[in-house]
Amino acid sequence: MPYEIVTSSLDAKDKSGNIDVRFGPDMKTVIVSRRALLSVASPPRATEFRLLQYVDTFCQIAARRLALTSGNTILITANDVRGWLCAWQSSPAPVPMPAKRHWLHDQTCKSDLSGFAASDEDNAGRLVTPA
């Protein structure tokens, strides 16, 4: 479900996060427990930076729990984060994309390949393997 983050903040006393999110026409408050903040990444930290770094993750978890919740507040716990991590880690790997090399890589590698003939390169200066 699409969502829009309105505000996010960390309660310094409780070290818990508070995210106001708009799911369609409905405004919901997502409370991220201290343990959820500690569980989302390593090393464990319950800081405002960690909350902002993973705010989309917490909103995705909240979007999945939205159908199970009738109130305006959704509580994200460490168990929710662990469930999300397990699902994320067990999902199939994306289709591998060819790595795009930096243009300087091709320039510096040319000096190492002085044994190749000039015809072994295409118009962009990349090596072409002979057929």
Side-chain angles (χ1 to χ4, degrees):
M1 168 176 264
Y3 58 87
E4 177 186 353
I5 300 167
V6 179
T7 62
S8 62
S9 61
L10 182 78
D11 182 350
K13 180 183 170 199
D14 295 333
K15 296 283 189 183
S16 62
N18 185 358
I19 308 168
D20 292 325
V21 186
R22 188 180 316 276
F23 292 100
D26 299 329
M27 183 72 121
K28 302 283 184 181
T29 300
V30 177
I31 304 295
V32 182
S33 72
R34 178 180 174 275
R35 295 260 184 183
L37 281 170
L38 294 171
S39 299
V40 76
S42 184
R45 292 192 176 117
T47 62
E48 188 168 22
F49 179 76
R50 181 62 55 93
L51 174 67
L52 296 176
Q53 186 178 15
Y54 287 93
V55 69
D56 282 324
T57 300
F58 296 128
C59 289
Q60 289 172 13
I61 294 169
R64 286 198 296 176
R65 295 210 32 227
L66 194 58
L68 306 172
T69 306
S70 60
N72 289 334
T73 303
I74 301 170
L75 176 64
I76 304 297
T77 65
N79 288 336
D80 297 321
V81 171
R82 279 191 285 274
W84 176 84
L85 283 172
C86 289
W88 180 76
Q89 291 170 348
S90 65
S91 64
V95 177
M97 299 293 291
K100 184 176 180 180
R101 295 184 293 186
H102 193 272
W103 66 273
L104 282 176
H105 180 269
D106 292 330
Q107 299 299 319
T108 57
C109 288
K110 280 185 182 180
S111 62
D112 296 337
L113 301 170
S114 57
F116 281 81
S119 62
D120 292 336
E121 294 181 9
D122 64 4
N123 292 338
R126 295 181 295 256
L127 284 178
V128 178
T129 55

